Amino acid sequence: MKNVLWFVLGIAGGFVVAHLVNKDPRGQELLTEVDLRISEFTDRIAEAYHAQEAKIEGLVADAKDAADDVLDSETTPASTAPNAN
């Protein structure tokens, strides 16, 4: 319970400090720069995620194609089967 209290006090203190910093023009510039860097970081993470997602989708598509090729080569239609007379 004591840890939760410290956690809540830390969050409240952070909001108070951010509010006081935001009142000062230099603080606004600092917060704007921090926001810009956070946005840049999240954009890079999103780009890397989408690149990995595309790579994995390509691998899955290749695996499906290979599996389809194997299935097509293993199944022989009855019309092309040799006559067993």
Side-chain angles (χ1 to χ4, degrees):
M1 187 68 170
K2 189 175 181 180
N3 290 335
V4 173
L5 176 65
W6 282 112
F7 179 72
V8 170
L9 286 175
I11 290 176
F15 277 114
V16 169
V17 169
H19 180 69
L20 293 174
V21 168
N22 195 31
K23 284 185 176 182
D24 184 29
R26 292 177 298 174
Q28 287 179 348
E29 289 176 18
L30 175 70
L31 291 177
T32 301
E33 184 179 333
V34 168
D35 184 49
L36 180 65
R37 288 180 186 231
I38 289 172
S39 296
E40 182 181 333
F41 175 75
T42 56
D43 289 345
R44 286 184 181 181
I45 294 295
E47 288 173 12
Y49 174 81
H50 292 303
Q52 281 297 105
E53 186 178 35
K55 182 179 177 182
I56 291 171
E57 285 176 356
L59 292 172
V60 169
D62 291 345
K64 283 182 180 179
D65 291 341
D68 287 341
D69 290 345
V70 168
L71 286 175
D72 289 343
S73 67
E74 291 295 321
T75 56
T76 308
S79 62
T80 61
N83 291 336
N85 288 344

